[in-house]
Amino acid sequence: MELSLDTTAYLNGEGTATQQELFQRAADRIVERWQSRYPNDTEPGELEAGIRDELVGAAMYCLGDATIEDLAASEQQARMGLEVSVDRLTGALIAADIDGLSKAELTRKTGLVRTTIYNRLGE
């Protein structure tokens, strides 16, 4: 499958010729990486959505708007936030289980699969 992206939109006309060339090379590699991961994906729109944030990150780096350290710190902060959210939901699941909500109801209310519910409840 051939995927065509208008990469100029990510730089919005900004950057030196060197920065633009670096971004284009990064964009080509990002697209190639995603296409090799999902070779049977027949919906280009889905691929485009999947690579959008990677292209934004590449653009930020190429234009000097963010460093690798900045983006790594952002990811670490997001991971810590996710851990807090998981822990809070787990605590609520335990309390709801004690309160009498069924596993099926917990599954329905949270969208988590039943095995995750059991795992979070320590069962």
Side-chain angles (χ1 to χ4, degrees):
M1 172 187 65
E2 185 62 32
L3 178 63
S4 172
L5 289 175
D6 177 15
T7 56
T8 58
Y10 287 90
L11 296 184
N12 198 24
E14 295 181 34
T16 65
T18 302
Q19 289 170 319
Q20 291 174 1
E21 166 68 19
L22 175 60
F23 176 74
Q24 186 59 58
R25 290 177 61 203
D28 291 344
R29 193 168 182 187
I30 289 167
V31 169
E32 185 179 297
R33 179 176 156 274
W34 275 85
Q35 287 178 326
S36 68
R37 268 190 181 172
Y38 304 102
N40 298 323
D41 189 343
T42 57
E43 297 296 325
E46 291 176 21
L47 267 182
E48 290 169 8
I51 66 174
R52 186 173 296 119
D53 287 335
E54 288 186 20
L55 290 171
V56 169
M60 291 170 70
Y61 174 82
C62 292
L63 293 175
D65 293 339
T67 65
I68 294 295
E69 294 85 359
D70 294 336
L71 296 168
S74 176
E75 179 181 333
Q76 185 61 30
Q77 185 176 14
R79 286 179 191 269
M80 288 173 38
L82 175 62
E83 289 176 19
V84 168
S85 296
V86 168
D87 291 344
R88 288 178 179 174
L89 178 56
T90 299
L93 288 169
I94 291 169
D97 183 54
I98 293 168
D99 195 33
L101 272 71
S102 70
K103 310 297 189 280
E105 194 169 5
L106 293 174
T107 298
R108 183 183 57 73
K109 286 179 177 268
T110 63
L112 297 172
V113 296
R114 199 173 189 103
T115 54
T116 300
I117 297 292
Y118 279 97
N119 182 281
R120 298 265 186 103
L121 295 175
E123 297 179 7

